[in-house]
Amino acid sequence: MSEQSVQPRYRALLADVEQWAKGFGGRLVLGPPVSEEDLELLPELLGGPPPAGGSALASGLREFWRLHAFARVEVPRAEEGEQAVWTALPANFRVYSPDEVLESLALVRIPSGVTLDNRPITTSHLVPFAAAYLLPRDIQWCIATSGGDLKAPALVLNHMGELAWACFQDTRRFVWEQRGHAPSHVFDTFLDWFESYVRDIRALAPERLYPDGVYPT
């Protein structure tokens, strides 16, 4: 996936988000490009097993990070009697920087030695890259980097409470493969996911945004 083919679409989608955020007094904040050196180091820092002969990063994500290290929506918030400060929404629209990816691993990685029905499970194959539409924070958009029939990384909505994608068993098969169908919200490329993410975000009414609604100023 070349930069020339996807980056113009990323820019257009980000412009849509910016327009949406301005409608309720928010703003879109974009990070600087990520250096090639940092991009090369990231898979090693993430740990976990990449697909055989493949990459730990989903197709199109590098091209996004070459544009912007992160993308998030901020809104002005103030305690009573204090001046408003720009505050990032913890959920809703938030694509992580590589540093935030590393910081968020604790939200999706479970300790070694955990079992389910006397079978070992691990989440070392999950890499969080964006906040879900709503809280709690244990619901994360993740890259599933290996396992079973996955020939390349897939982008999935992982809820740690349900462990649908966490149940990576000693047979190297995901639980959903044994049931014969995948859970919803599975994407093959970052661009496909981003199109859906932006569309769903823009459909949210400001009063549904965390934590207690955002109202036009």
Side-chain angles (χ1 to χ4, degrees):
M1 184 172 292
S2 69
E3 293 182 17
Q4 292 78 10
S5 65
V6 297
Q7 287 186 344
R9 185 58 186 152
Y10 292 154
R11 291 188 181 96
L13 290 167
L14 289 169
D16 289 342
V17 174
E18 184 175 35
Q19 181 183 37
W20 169 76
K22 286 180 177 178
F24 53 81
R27 69 178 183 181
L28 175 66
V29 181
L30 301 171
V34 178
S35 71
E36 291 300 319
E37 181 181 6
D38 287 345
L39 286 175
E40 291 303 319
L41 285 174
L42 186 58
E44 180 180 350
L45 295 174
L46 291 173
S55 170
L57 300 179
S59 175
L61 180 54
R62 286 176 181 265
E63 288 73 19
F64 182 88
W65 277 337
R66 287 184 179 119
L67 276 179
H68 302 292
F70 62 83
R72 63 175 179 253
V73 168
E74 297 181 348
V75 294
R77 292 198 177 278
E79 299 294 333
E80 186 174 354
E82 296 185 2
Q83 186 175 359
V85 296
W86 288 102
T87 305
L89 296 174
N92 308 121
F93 186 84
R94 190 163 187 168
V95 181
Y96 299 151
S97 69
D99 286 343
E100 290 172 320
V101 167
L102 296 173
E103 292 169 2
S104 299
L105 287 175
L107 297 172
V108 300
R109 296 283 172 92
I110 58 177
S112 60
V114 174
T115 61
L116 181 68
D117 298 330
N118 295 318
R119 300 173 68 89
I121 61 174
T122 179
T123 54
S124 64
H125 59 294
L126 293 177
V127 176
F129 68 93
Y133 307 133
L134 299 171
L135 295 186
R137 289 295 301 280
D138 65 352
I139 306 177
Q140 297 281 311
W141 281 103
C142 293
I143 302 168
T145 61
S146 63
D149 294 331
L150 284 180
K151 305 303 182 186
L155 294 91
V156 301
L157 186 62
N158 184 69
H159 193 316
M160 288 300 288
E162 298 173 358
L163 290 179
W165 284 93
C167 296
F168 183 55
Q169 303 189 24
D170 57 0
T171 57
R172 298 188 62 80
R173 297 188 59 162
F174 291 108
V175 166
W176 64 262
E177 291 176 325
Q178 298 174 0
R179 297 173 182 163
H181 62 87
S184 60
H185 308 301
V186 179
F187 300 91
D188 294 326
T189 71
F190 183 84
L191 178 58
D192 289 341
W193 169 82
F194 199 49
E195 295 263 11
S196 175
Y197 191 58
V198 170
R199 181 176 61 250
D200 291 345
I201 289 297
R202 294 182 67 207
L204 283 177
E207 57 268 22
R208 292 188 59 198
L209 300 176
Y210 177 84
D212 51 6
V214 176
Y215 299 91
T217 56

